[in-house]
Amino acid sequence: MRTLKLFVCGDVMTGRGVDQILAHPSEPTLYERHVQSAGDYVVLAEAINGPIRRPVGPSYVWGDAKADLARRAPDARIINLETAVTASDDWEPKGINYRMHPANVDILETGQIDCCVLSNNHVLDWGRGGLLETLDALRSRGLTCAGAGTDQIEAARPGVVSVRDGRRVLVFAFGHSSSGIPPAWRATTNRSGVNLISDLSTRSAERVLDLVAVQRRPGDLVVVSLHWGGNWGHQIPHSHVEFAHRLMDADFISLVHGHSSHHPKSVEIYRNRLILYGCGDFLNDYEGIRGHRRYRPDLAVAYLPAFVEGHLTELELLVYRIERFRLRRASRDDARWIVATLDEISDPFGTRIHIDDQGKITAAPS
């Protein structure tokens, strides 16, 4: 059977400062304790890395990643879209609110994104009207969504990406309260919202597996995408490990795609399948924000797993530095820092991260 290759990453945060440099910026008012305008995040970034000519084109934010991904030609591209796509002013009083203007959604098209995971703690930042506008804006451009919807049934429905030979990649997306998703955001039978799981128990894992079993068919590659855990720190809760293993033990899930952390977390190759406990941010507007520098949130990782008959055959990692809200290939030293960090924190999971003489980064069982 032919190899299927994916591109997956963590949080793509195209709202707030990033939205302000695009062709159709949202009204910039924010309701944060220290920042009242999204434009201030642009100013902070420019103070660190130099001026950003505005407006930028839709391919600008992808930088070097655009050509790198084109060369590797993944069959499906899956991101966690960590922003509402809306012009709504119905802001949630939660401290941080992300939105990108719907007219800027072409940056996702330019990135050739196939599936936007929405089961996160920012998709309803601008109310349920903002969520509905997000769904409409993405679907009107042919982008598949997963993890949120107009009701519980739609929120639980997988994102379906059709690939060559009539095969499919199914993306089942869930949010967990540990990532900061408010309980009131849960989708119900008569209310829009997020596909929220209350806990990481055996029963919850069984419910996920039952949902997958109903939808999958022979030849499908199944991804379970989870927005879980805190923003900082390399420690993986035992409950996360157990939950991921329970899913993999069913033998029909190929990838657990974890996100929420602002930096990459451990990688595990378990039963010839892949668990990414936290992919880290892929795009953000954090350049001028101080704090947590030891985690290097300016470095972003693209994960390119390849599968044959659902089993992992290779995992390549591409490393970038976010500079002026754009992905630039990381320096050799920065790439080696990521490799050393991921190798150290993944070793307890039986996975080693290696960089060869040509700079190619791969992961393999130890």
Side-chain angles (χ1 to χ4, degrees):
M1 187 175 284
R2 189 178 68 84
T3 298
L4 273 180
K5 181 179 287 188
L6 306 181
F7 157 63
V8 298
C9 65
D11 300 357
V12 173
M13 308 167 82
T14 55
R16 210 168 60 176
V18 175
D19 175 69
Q20 291 300 300
I21 68 170
L22 300 173
H24 306 281
S26 302
E27 200 284 317
T29 301
L30 296 177
Y31 304 92
E32 301 174 12
R33 179 179 300 178
H34 301 294
V35 181
Q36 282 71 54
S37 172
D40 290 349
Y41 285 98
V42 182
V43 174
L44 289 169
E46 290 180 322
I48 298 294
N49 288 317
I52 303 171
R53 296 177 116 188
R54 285 169 268 173
V56 300
S59 65
Y60 171 86
V61 297
W62 303 108
D64 293 328
K66 186 173 175 63
D68 291 343
L69 292 175
R71 280 194 295 273
R72 287 158 178 84
D75 295 282
R77 304 186 186 202
I78 302 163
I79 67 170
N80 175 54
L81 182 62
E82 190 89 345
T83 187
V85 184
T86 180
S88 169
D89 290 323
D90 184 19
W91 61 283
E92 288 278 317
K94 57 189 288 289
I96 303 292
N97 301 75
Y98 288 108
R99 66 175 167 182
M100 176 177 73
H101 196 282
N104 289 326
V105 78
D106 55 352
I107 72 168
L108 301 176
E109 291 179 291
T110 302
Q112 296 180 272
I113 304 306
D114 294 298
C115 181
C116 295
V117 171
L118 302 178
S119 52
N120 57 60
N121 58 313
H122 286 291
V123 72
L124 273 86
D125 276 0
W126 299 87
R128 284 192 157 78
L131 169 61
L132 297 181
E133 190 173 7
T134 299
L135 295 168
D136 288 344
L138 297 175
R139 289 169 178 166
S140 68
R141 301 296 186 96
L143 294 162
T144 296
C145 307
T150 56
D151 58 24
Q152 186 178 31
I153 292 175
E154 186 175 88
R157 191 173 296 150
V160 180
V161 181
S162 298
V163 296
R164 287 176 291 177
D165 304 328
R167 299 171 67 192
R168 305 186 304 171
V169 177
L170 301 187
V171 182
F172 294 84
F174 305 84
H176 184 247
S177 58
S178 60
S179 68
I181 301 172
W185 286 15
R186 179 192 301 273
T188 67
T189 54
N190 56 7
R191 185 181 69 192
S192 62
V194 170
N195 190 26
L196 193 61
I197 51 176
S198 301
D199 55 44
L200 300 175
S201 65
T202 299
R203 178 173 292 183
S204 291
E206 289 172 350
R207 287 172 179 163
V208 172
L209 294 173
D210 287 345
L211 181 64
V212 174
V214 168
Q215 299 284 342
R216 66 182 286 268
R217 64 192 189 204
D220 287 343
L221 183 76
V222 177
V223 177
V224 172
S225 190
L226 291 163
H227 201 65
W228 60 357
N231 295 147
W232 307 103
H234 290 126
Q235 186 65 35
I236 308 298
H238 184 63
S239 61
H240 290 206
V241 178
E242 282 195 331
F243 191 78
H245 286 185
R246 286 189 187 108
L247 296 181
M248 291 303 198
D249 286 341
D251 282 335
F252 51 71
I253 294 169
S254 296
L255 170 62
V256 170
H257 169 225
H259 37 85
S260 178
S261 60
H262 289 319
H263 56 85
K265 288 188 168 185
S266 305
V267 175
E268 182 176 14
I269 299 171
Y270 178 78
R271 301 187 63 175
N272 293 319
R273 298 165 193 272
L274 179 61
I275 303 171
L276 302 172
Y277 285 102
C279 292
D281 290 350
F282 197 62
L283 280 169
N284 61 38
D285 64 354
Y286 290 179
E287 286 172 56
I289 302 174
R290 298 183 183 276
H292 302 292
R293 297 305 301 167
R294 69 188 182 94
Y295 293 109
R296 295 298 307 273
D298 59 320
L299 298 182
V301 177
Y303 300 83
L304 290 132
F307 300 91
V308 173
E309 295 186 343
H311 293 131
L312 184 74
T313 57
E314 182 186 49
L315 173 61
E316 182 182 8
L317 287 72
L318 306 177
V319 183
Y320 300 94
R321 182 171 181 266
I322 304 170
E323 185 176 299
R324 293 185 291 173
F325 302 162
R326 194 172 198 225
L327 292 164
R328 175 184 163 209
R329 288 186 196 97
S331 68
R332 186 79 169 185
D333 286 345
D334 283 345
R336 288 191 176 279
W337 186 90
I338 281 283
V339 169
T341 300
L342 283 176
D343 187 60
E344 179 181 357
I345 64 178
S346 300
D347 183 51
F349 293 93
T351 304
R352 304 308 305 262
I353 314 297
H354 174 72
I355 184 168
D356 68 16
D357 293 339
Q358 285 71 49
K360 183 177 181 178
I361 302 170
T362 54
S366 56

